[in-house]
Amino acid sequence: METPTEHSASLWPLFLYGLIVLSLVGVMLGLSYILGQHHNERATNDPYEGGILSTGSARIRFSAQFYLVAMLFVIFDVETIFIFSWAIAFRELGWYGYTGVIVFLILLVVVLIYEWRAGALDFGPDGKKILKAYRKLKV
């Protein structure tokens, strides 16, 4: 059983390492402040985007459909990782693993069909409505 002095003796390298790291960070920040340029010109605080002057606000509202498509992408991306890891361990898993991935793929297709029917994948203008309006204009 360790005594309190043995326990504190084993922690001194950790404290020394922390002190060295904090000292190094302080020295780097201090040197960058001392050696860095200090100027305040007209364009100093403006964001730089590839030489293009910014106009308007950066606060753009996105529709809920945008976030829905983003979530669907993440979900299907994670499912792809599961399928890829199954393919790597295919020989070790045998028929049990094969049955499991078939059930997984069937559920994936069922969810995809459900989302398609619910309109979750319709993120553009309705083509039928556009053609109908175009035909009315033509007549």
Side-chain angles (χ1 to χ4, degrees):
M1 185 167 180
E2 291 185 22
T3 62
T5 55
E6 289 176 3
H7 183 67
S8 62
S10 63
L11 291 179
W12 75 266
L14 180 64
F15 292 123
L16 180 64
Y17 177 74
L19 182 66
I20 291 171
V21 168
L22 291 176
S23 301
L24 184 61
V25 168
V27 168
M28 288 185 345
L29 288 174
L31 283 176
S32 68
Y33 180 75
I34 293 168
L35 300 176
Q37 297 179 1
H38 301 284
H39 58 85
N40 192 12
E41 295 163 355
R42 186 170 58 103
T44 298
N45 294 325
D46 288 344
Y48 179 74
E49 295 290 336
I52 300 171
L53 294 176
S54 59
T55 58
S57 174
R59 307 284 183 220
I60 299 173
R61 288 183 168 251
F62 291 104
S63 68
Q65 193 71 25
F66 172 80
Y67 295 105
L68 182 62
V69 171
M71 287 189 315
L72 291 176
F73 172 76
V74 169
I75 290 169
F76 283 103
D77 194 40
V78 169
E79 290 170 350
T80 304
I81 293 170
F82 286 134
I83 293 170
F84 185 72
S85 61
W86 165 80
I88 291 174
F90 174 72
R91 293 182 193 257
E92 290 85 16
L93 295 174
W95 285 105
Y96 183 73
Y98 182 74
T99 306
V101 84
I102 291 298
V103 169
F104 182 74
L105 287 174
I106 289 171
L107 287 173
L108 182 65
V109 169
V110 167
V111 168
L112 183 62
I113 290 171
Y114 171 76
E115 290 171 349
W116 180 37
R117 292 255 174 123
L121 303 176
D122 298 333
F123 52 89
D126 190 6
K128 292 178 183 177
K129 288 181 182 177
I130 292 173
L131 286 174
K132 189 176 180 181
Y134 179 72
R135 287 185 187 127
K136 283 183 181 180
L137 289 175
K138 215 173 180 188
V139 173

